[in-house]
Amino acid sequence: FRNERLARHYGITTVQGAQFRRVHLEDENRYGLLGKGAVLLHTSYGNRTSPVVRGAWVLDKLRGTPPAPPPPNVVTDLSTPPGAQPKTMRAMLEQHRADPTCNMCHGVIEPHGLPLERFTVTGQWRDVDWQADAPIDSKVAMPDGTEVASPAELGRVLLSRRGQFVQALTTKLMMYALGREIEPQDMPQVRAIVRAAAK
């Protein structure tokens, strides 16, 4: 549902007026949660996107497999040093994948976040990283070898394991309903809900 102001934010020019109305999305990169500005803003920093934060969110919330927290004393400042040429976010993160110790986690997290790098902090589509003035390369290989280059392709990969997504969603809904973390003894009930919902 969009009004003119929100539609313009998402690059849709066919909606006019302040009234919200149902809009058919032509761009499949906007389908589902992965294309929504609120999710993209929540998984960014105030001044830049973060494939690591976005990837960790996808793993935790949509796959139900949260990554391990970073080790202590890890430097997470990706600011460009004064006088240095700005780099794309992907280029800055290459150092994580170059170090085998870092790649154990970043090799799983970043493939779930880099396809979302096509979106700005607030969820507008872009093809160029404006800080580095360079094209955005969002093509990655998932841990299983599947190649993904866009948010739409990432969504298809997530839905290819439908049972995993449904269990993750059921777990999050149960946490919300109970107002507490899910404990191991709750998992039989979660699985029972997933089986009943599948019918």
Side-chain angles (χ1 to χ4, degrees), residues 155-192:
R156 284 193 287 276
V157 165
L158 295 173
L159 289 175
S160 70
R161 294 184 148 192
R162 194 169 297 271
Q164 184 182 32
F165 170 74
V166 173
Q167 181 165 314
L169 177 65
T170 302
T171 302
K172 297 300 179 189
L173 288 173
M174 185 176 272
M175 285 172 59
Y176 179 76
L178 297 175
R180 64 171 173 80
E181 293 290 322
I182 296 301
E183 302 292 339
Q185 60 268 22
D186 297 315
M187 289 312 293
Q189 186 61 41
V190 169
R191 288 189 291 273

Side-chain angles (χ1 to χ4, degrees), residues 75-198:
V75 177
T76 59
D77 182 16
L78 296 176
S79 303
T80 303
Q85 177 68 28
K87 298 179 183 176
T88 64
M89 189 57 59
R90 181 187 190 104
M92 287 189 271
L93 292 172
E94 288 294 331
Q95 62 192 0
H96 294 299
R97 287 188 297 281
D99 182 336
T101 305
C102 297
N103 193 47
M104 288 189 319
C105 291
H106 282 272
V108 175
I109 297 170
E110 289 172 20
H112 289 85
L114 279 168
L116 301 176
E117 191 61 7
R118 292 284 181 168
F119 292 119
T120 65
V121 170
T122 57
Q124 293 170 311
W125 187 262
R126 63 183 179 163
D127 293 314
V128 175
D129 182 310
W130 63 271
Q131 286 183 322
D133 193 26
I136 293 174
D137 178 9
S138 59
K139 188 174 184 180
V140 293
M142 300 301 282
D144 67 0
T146 305
E147 291 202 347
V148 173
S150 69
E153 291 175 10
L154 177 61
R156 284 193 287 276
V157 165
L158 295 173
L159 289 175
S160 70
R161 294 184 148 192
R162 194 169 297 271
Q164 184 182 32
F165 170 74
V166 173
Q167 181 165 314
L169 177 65
T170 302
T171 302
K172 297 300 179 189
L173 288 173
M174 185 176 272
M175 285 172 59
Y176 179 76
L178 297 175
R180 64 171 173 80
E181 293 290 322
I182 296 301
E183 302 292 339
Q185 60 268 22
D186 297 315
M187 289 312 293
Q189 186 61 41
V190 169
R191 288 189 291 273
I193 293 169
V194 170
R195 283 191 302 274

Side-chain angles (χ1 to χ4, degrees), residues 8-29:
R8 269 190 275 125
H9 177 81
Y10 285 110
I12 299 169
T13 58
T14 56
V15 176
Q16 296 179 353
Q19 181 182 353
F20 279 85
R21 70 212 67 169
R22 189 181 188 125
V23 175
H24 175 73
L25 296 176
E26 302 289 335
D27 181 2
E28 65 178 325
N29 289 306

